[in-house]
Amino acid sequence: MANNQVEFKFPKGGAFTIVIVVLLIIFIAKSAVTIGPGEGGVVFERFGGGINVEKTYGEGFHIVAPWNKMIVRKVRQQSVSDEMNVLSVNGLEVKVSGTVWYEPEFQNLGKLIKTKGEDYERELLDPAINAAARSVVGRYTPEQLYSSKRDVIEQEILDEVATVLKDQFLVVKRVLVEDVKLPPTIRTAIETKLKQEQESLEYEFRLAKAKKEAERQKIDAEGKATANRILSASLTDKILQEKGIEATLKLSESTNSKVIVIGSGKNGMPIILGNQ
């Protein structure tokens, strides 16, 4: 019985082709980087000068050398919230909590990471916010912090943070002071004072309103009195007789039954004896 054997032979150069394909797959896998929405990337060149500060990669698919590293960070607006203990102008400790909106400068992302590191929020943003908050809050009393100065404080903190971060490739867009917590006794005292001030303002408003109403009534009464004096001065006996005659004529034209005695009244005025 014959022994049939099948001998498989690689095509000439086939092994080399397979090696090239495998290396190409590895190269693509190591080199392909996808940057998501709202993100930016910078290349760290291992055998070059480190972070390449000249180019920031935007959203999409990118190829980098496999020996380099793409550092991807968010470049859209972000927020960070914090709570800190600070001293008011009179040395009272208050607890302030707030939120800061910020974003890195897209074109300068490489410079930001090169100078401040990948964790630039902790290295740069947090110290700037804490310093600004302590500086601004230290100018106000607990009552001002609790009530009327909130908007002013937010703007002042924003201005100070912007000054500190100038030319640091990180932009703070807005500062929001969400809550100011005071010791219970101080908070109660402030709330009581504010309530009393509100009641006082309401009382003053009612007094002013009553005063205006009294002045209005006085002016109205004086006007009526003046009108009556002018009318009394103008009503002579002759005018009254003429008015009486006019009224008599109108009555005589009426369809109702009546008896009119001409010349029997005072000063010769008619007298109406009946009206049915």
Side-chain angles (χ1 to χ4, degrees):
M1 181 177 177
N3 184 12
N4 296 327
Q5 293 182 350
V6 178
E7 184 179 352
F8 180 80
K9 294 182 179 181
F10 282 101
K12 186 178 180 179
F16 178 75
T17 302
I18 292 175
V19 171
I20 293 299
V21 171
V22 171
L23 290 177
L24 182 61
I25 293 174
I26 295 174
F27 179 84
I28 295 175
K30 292 289 186 180
S31 303
V33 178
T34 300
I35 298 178
E39 296 179 336
V42 295
V43 173
F44 174 75
E45 300 175 348
R46 297 183 188 276
F47 305 110
I51 298 292
N52 184 344
V53 299
E54 300 301 324
K55 183 176 181 180
T56 302
Y57 293 81
E59 303 171 0
F61 180 81
H62 304 278
I63 297 292
V64 298
W67 52 85
N68 291 336
K69 175 186 178 183
M70 178 75 81
I71 300 174
V72 179
R73 295 303 308 271
K74 293 179 181 179
V75 291
R76 64 175 180 268
Q77 181 172 284
Q78 306 161 66
S79 66
V80 58
S81 298
D82 195 11
E83 186 177 72
M84 65 190 76
N85 294 321
V86 294
L87 297 179
S88 64
V89 69
N90 55 4
L92 180 68
E93 186 177 84
V94 297
K95 184 174 292 186
V96 178
S97 59
T99 299
V100 176
W101 283 267
Y102 70 97
E103 64 182 38
E105 296 177 0
F106 178 80
Q107 296 297 336
N108 293 314
L109 182 61
K111 295 178 181 179
L112 176 60
I113 295 176
K114 190 177 185 68
T115 56
K116 301 303 176 182
E118 294 184 51
D119 192 14
Y120 49 78
E121 290 93 348
R122 183 176 61 85
E123 297 292 336
L124 183 61
L125 185 62
D126 290 350
I129 294 172
N130 290 338
R134 287 183 169 84
S135 173
V136 172
V137 171
R139 304 170 192 166
Y140 296 96
T141 65
E143 183 177 349
Q144 291 172 327
L145 295 172
Y146 184 73
S147 56
S148 61
K149 294 291 184 178
R150 191 71 60 86
D151 293 340
V152 177
I153 293 170
E154 291 175 350
Q155 185 60 47
E156 290 185 0
I157 293 176
L158 177 61
D159 292 342
E160 291 213 10
V161 172
T163 300
V164 173
L165 296 180
K166 184 179 181 181
D167 301 325
Q168 298 291 329
F169 320 117
L170 191 65
V171 179
V172 174
K173 312 291 285 188
R174 185 186 176 191
V175 174
L176 175 63
V177 177
E178 296 170 340
D179 191 23
V180 177
K181 296 180 181 178
L182 305 175
T185 54
I186 300 298
R187 184 175 187 134
T188 300
I190 291 175
E191 290 177 347
T192 301
K193 181 180 178 181
L194 292 175
K195 182 178 179 181
Q196 291 174 345
E197 290 177 350
Q198 182 64 30
E199 291 175 348
S200 177
L201 290 174
E202 291 177 358
Y203 180 71
E204 291 177 1
F205 173 77
R206 289 196 298 269
L207 287 179
K209 185 177 180 180
K211 182 178 179 181
K212 288 182 179 180
E213 179 63 20
E215 291 176 352
R216 186 194 66 78
Q217 293 179 356
K218 179 180 178 182
I219 293 172
D220 186 54
E222 290 176 350
K224 290 181 179 179
T226 301
N228 289 334
R229 287 196 298 270
I230 294 173
L231 182 62
S232 298
S234 63
L235 292 177
T236 61
D237 291 343
K238 186 176 180 180
I239 291 175
L240 291 174
Q241 288 178 356
E242 290 178 355
K243 296 294 182 181
I245 293 172
E246 291 176 359
T248 303
L249 291 175
K250 289 182 179 180
L251 287 173
S252 64
E253 295 173 356
S254 173
T255 57
N256 295 330
S257 300
K258 78 280 295 178
V259 177
I260 301 176
V261 180
I262 304 299
S264 299
K266 186 179 179 181
N267 298 324
M269 294 295 295
I271 296 177
I272 301 174
L273 299 179
N275 187 10
Q276 299 177 355

